[in-house]
Amino acid sequence: MAAPPGVSWAQTVDELYASGVKARQAQHFDEAADLLKRALALKPDNADALVQLGFVELGRNDPPAARDAFSRALSLAPTYMDASFGLAEVEFRSGNLDAALPLAEKVAGAERGNADAAALVETIGKPKPAPATAASAKTAPLRRPDPVAGLMEQGRRLKAAGRLAEAERAYRRALKLSPRNTDVLVALGLVAGAGQRFDEAGQFFDRALAIKPGLLDARLGKVRLAIWQGDVPRARAIVDDVLASAPDNVEALNLDARISLLEADYTRAGQSFDRVLAIDPRNAEALVGIGDVRRAEGDDAAARAAYNQALAIEPGSAEIEQRLAVPPPRKWRLDIGTEVSDLTGGLGDWTDSAAGLAYRLSPATTLSGRTRVATRYGHTDVQVEGRIDQAFSPAFSAYALAAATPDADFLARYSIGAGASWQVVAPAKAFGPVSLNIDARYDDFADTGVTTVSPWVQGYIFDGRLGLSARWVHAEDDIGTRADGYVLRADLAVTQRFNVFGGYADAPEISDGTLVPTRTVFGGVSFDVTDPLTLRASIAHEQRPTFDRTIVGLGLTARF
């Protein structure tokens, strides 16, 4: 995949001016304003740059700023007809027709070939002189600026600034003036969808399609709606249908790439973003997308390069700056923990400690190893374990492990295990995600082997702050002894850094190859001291047929 084109920034006044004019012609008004203002900072009396800035401010629907720029240009060059025409446009759009008409006539008279000035004179409409014998004769009606277009531009600017409620009010005012305006209906659908009012957004898009069947903007709105709702298959079906009839539509290609990212098809995502950049080399959305692809592939340096190119095109973009603020990924994780158990009946203490090191080979693959040292009744076993975790898609992942205990006294001589997780409900604001999981393991002891199978379900509510899980445990040894039980657990994010958990289990424990019925109450806390360092503490109380056991655990996780 070709790397996205670089962005070269000019430093001289002439180069800044030329780049600003080019950006204005492409309707990249914010970028154009930045370039022209930089040129004016170097040369404040540049009348050409002031005139271009005035037209840029008109494009951004800011008549006062445009008037200021044109007026400054005329103070430097009183006969500059482009500045006079720009000022006429400002007065016309502001509804000051009496001021706009003479300015437009001045330009049309001075430049006979200026079609824009002539059209503006015709649009305003010159009043006819009243006949001497007909004092009641009426002048030709004056055409006022289109209020719907003004409200639409106002809504666009408010939405870009993140002021969704105010943008919606502007769009609704436009809809009252023009109830069958499909542009307004699509804009309202996008605002409603951004506010997670998905049903209402769909209704706006459907109304637009009822007026204009096959309307591209409404169909693409439905693609965005499906993405917001987490319905990737529906989004894929709609965007593929759009691309079949409009294969070079930039918005459709960007959405196709976004969907491919959700599908973890990074090759297709990159290809679609590259097609956008081939059509529009300064498309900031595609450059951000390229950065997201690179980050998903684990190349953070390339991702940052793409984000910086996009930020150069859209200075001050909060979305891009947030991506750049994300620290480089930490590929290593160290886990250390120890547990001390107090047994009733004078049976002494058990200890169980472990140290594990994991390495993220790629965004989808993690390799890890762990060493466990356990002591019981004066005997010590050392177990070594290796594990691989693989994400096959954003919704499905699996793992496999193998462990061995040389000269085992009470732990399994060897163990093999595997598991999988399938996210069946995508995360939403109040509910989700929900995943179905299963773990399976075989432990070989000196006298027997034990197979354990545990299907379980996990879900989150309250914007992901509360997690609930329920696990069923089935264990069976080689001679047919079976035991079943369950584990219930809740995890609560009290703050962004502080978490608590607790639960209850009535499930078999494997002790030296024997299935022991056990009831357990457990709980604990974790605290993120810093972004890379987490401390943990836990406590549990078990009730077994022959003794009770109280377990206190401490641990830490370090990422680097």
Side-chain angles (χ1 to χ4, degrees), residues 228-368:
W228 289 332
Q229 292 176 305
D231 191 344
V232 176
R234 181 160 63 94
R236 166 57 64 201
I238 300 173
V239 83
D240 284 349
D241 185 57
V242 170
L243 287 170
S245 57
D248 294 324
N249 182 275
V250 167
E251 185 178 358
L253 286 168
N254 271 326
L255 287 171
D256 173 78
R258 283 288 158 200
I259 295 165
S260 299
L261 272 172
L262 293 172
E263 296 168 332
D265 187 348
Y266 305 132
T267 300
R268 175 166 178 170
Q271 290 171 345
S272 294
F273 284 132
D274 279 343
R275 286 180 61 191
V276 172
L277 291 169
I279 299 167
D280 179 10
R282 299 181 65 79
N283 189 291
E285 183 178 354
L287 284 168
V288 170
I290 288 289
D292 291 345
V293 171
R294 296 288 184 261
R295 181 162 279 175
E297 292 174 334
D299 190 344
D300 191 68
R304 290 179 183 279
Y307 294 147
N308 279 312
Q309 291 180 34
L311 191 64
I313 295 171
E314 292 189 357
S317 168
E319 180 184 0
I320 301 172
E321 288 176 346
Q322 286 172 2
R323 282 172 165 81
L324 285 168
V326 175
R330 296 179 173 89
K331 295 190 174 185
W332 292 91
R333 188 186 75 243
L334 173 66
D335 292 286
I336 300 175
T338 186
E339 293 180 347
V340 177
S341 302
D342 177 56
L343 279 58
T344 60
L347 296 177
D349 297 332
W350 291 354
T351 62
D352 203 332
S353 301
L357 187 63
Y359 176 71
R360 195 178 67 153
L361 189 64
S362 73
T365 307
T366 300
L367 303 176
S368 58

Side-chain angles (χ1 to χ4, degrees), residues 31 34 51 70 100 122 127 204 225 241 268 338 350 422 473 487 503 506 508 514 544:
E31 176 194 351
D34 176 67
V51 168
F70 290 131
E122 184 180 354
F204 282 124
L225 179 59
D241 185 57
R268 175 166 178 170
T338 186
W350 291 354
W422 177 36
V473 180
V487 181
D506 186 352
T514 302
R544 300 189 177 199

